């Protein structure tokens, strides 16, 4: 199986002016091998006007990041990473980024995904994605069990806007050949 990294390209929808992620998968070797199992490929775009996003924390319920979670994402740019699955359970993880919204407020963006391994080959996996936004201080001591419960109740698309900080996140998870493709936009 060829390992992949993704590049995310954004286009403006002429109808409503909103930006939407359009994936462009590029074949590139990743440092580690998936060893015949499906990986999660994650593309994140920072569509904020002038807020740089910095890595805050992560949680891997099953699987592991390859080679690492991006340390930051500049405004109007994107970054990506791969998440290797646990052979028995698949890829299930979460990552949190934060940024200075104004002089007194730091916002945070959480992205969580679940891409289980197909067992028996008869039923396709129920890929799920979940996003949450808010004040950074509310994400410093995350109860990962609560986030997992919310992820387990989510679907293939998730969006969230925090009224206090104005932070917005939108994400979608889709099958992509031999992997799960997750596209997330942070605004």
């Amino acid at each position: 199986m060829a390992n992949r990294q993704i590049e995310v390209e954004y286009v403006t929808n002429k109808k409503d002016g909103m930006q939407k992620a359009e994936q462009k998968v590029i074949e590139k070797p990743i440092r580690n091998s998936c060893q015949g199992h499906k990986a999660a490929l994650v593309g994140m775009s920072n569509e904020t006007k002038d807020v740089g996003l910095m890595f805050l924390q992560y949680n891997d319920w099953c699987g592991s990041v390859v080679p690492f979670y991006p340390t930051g994402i500049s405004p109007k740019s994107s970054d990506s990473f791969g998440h290797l699955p646990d052979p028995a359970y698949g890829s299930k993880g979460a990552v949190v980024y934060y940024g200075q919204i104004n002089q007194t407020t730091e916002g945070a963006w959480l992205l969580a995904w679940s891409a289980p391994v197909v067992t028996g080959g008869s039923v396709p996996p129920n890929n799920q994605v979940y996003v949450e936004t808010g004040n950074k201080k509310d994400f410093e001591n995350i109860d990962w069990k609560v986030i997992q419960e919310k992820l387990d109740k989510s679907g293939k698309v998730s969006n969230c806007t925090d009224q206090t900080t104005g932070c917005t996140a939108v994400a979608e998870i889709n099958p992509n050949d031999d992997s799960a493709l997750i596209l997330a936009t942070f605004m």
Side-chain angles (χ1 to χ4, degrees):
M1 172 178 96
N3 295 322
R4 297 177 184 189
Q5 280 188 329
I6 61 175
E7 177 180 296
V8 180
E9 183 177 284
Y10 284 81
V11 295
T12 300
N13 180 330
K14 292 179 182 176
K15 180 178 177 185
D16 60 12
M18 295 295 292
Q19 292 194 331
K20 181 181 178 197
E22 298 294 333
Q23 73 256 19
K24 193 164 62 168
V25 179
I26 300 172
E27 300 283 338
K28 290 183 180 178
I30 301 178
R31 288 185 191 170
N32 296 333
S33 167
C34 289
Q35 301 172 349
H37 301 287
K38 294 182 180 180
L41 304 172
V42 181
M44 303 174 296
S45 177
N46 177 358
E47 290 302 314
T48 62
K49 181 179 177 183
D50 57 3
V51 178
L53 303 182
M54 298 300 298
F55 175 82
L56 181 61
Q57 62 177 305
Y58 73 95
N59 187 65
D60 292 331
W61 288 284
C62 58
S64 59
V65 69
V66 175
F68 50 83
Y69 291 102
T71 57
I73 309 170
S74 299
K76 301 294 183 187
S77 68
S78 60
D79 210 333
S80 62
F81 62 89
H83 197 263
L84 296 180
D86 174 278
Y89 301 106
S91 170
K92 189 172 190 178
V95 64
V96 181
Y97 286 85
Y98 74 96
Q100 192 73 38
I101 304 301
N102 57 43
Q103 290 181 352
T104 60
T105 306
E106 288 181 306
W109 295 258
L110 176 143
L111 168 65
W113 66 91
S114 176
V117 169
V118 177
T119 56
S122 59
V123 179
N126 184 20
N127 292 339
Q128 297 166 292
V129 67
Y130 173 75
V131 292
E132 193 172 303
T133 60
N135 196 298
K136 178 188 174 200
K137 66 181 177 186
D138 298 331
F139 288 84
E140 291 175 347
N141 295 302
I142 295 173
D143 184 340
W144 291 110
K145 184 176 179 182
V146 171
I147 298 299
Q148 183 175 9
E149 289 170 359
K150 291 176 180 180
L151 174 61
D152 290 345
K153 293 177 183 175
S154 68
K156 296 188 183 318
V157 176
S158 180
N159 60 66
C160 178
T161 298
D162 179 65
Q163 298 303 315
T164 304
T165 61
C167 298
T168 297
V170 178
E172 182 175 358
I173 186 169
N174 293 302
N176 182 49
D177 297 330
D178 56 358
S179 59
L181 178 63
I182 298 111
L183 298 173
T185 303
F186 304 137
M187 300 173 267

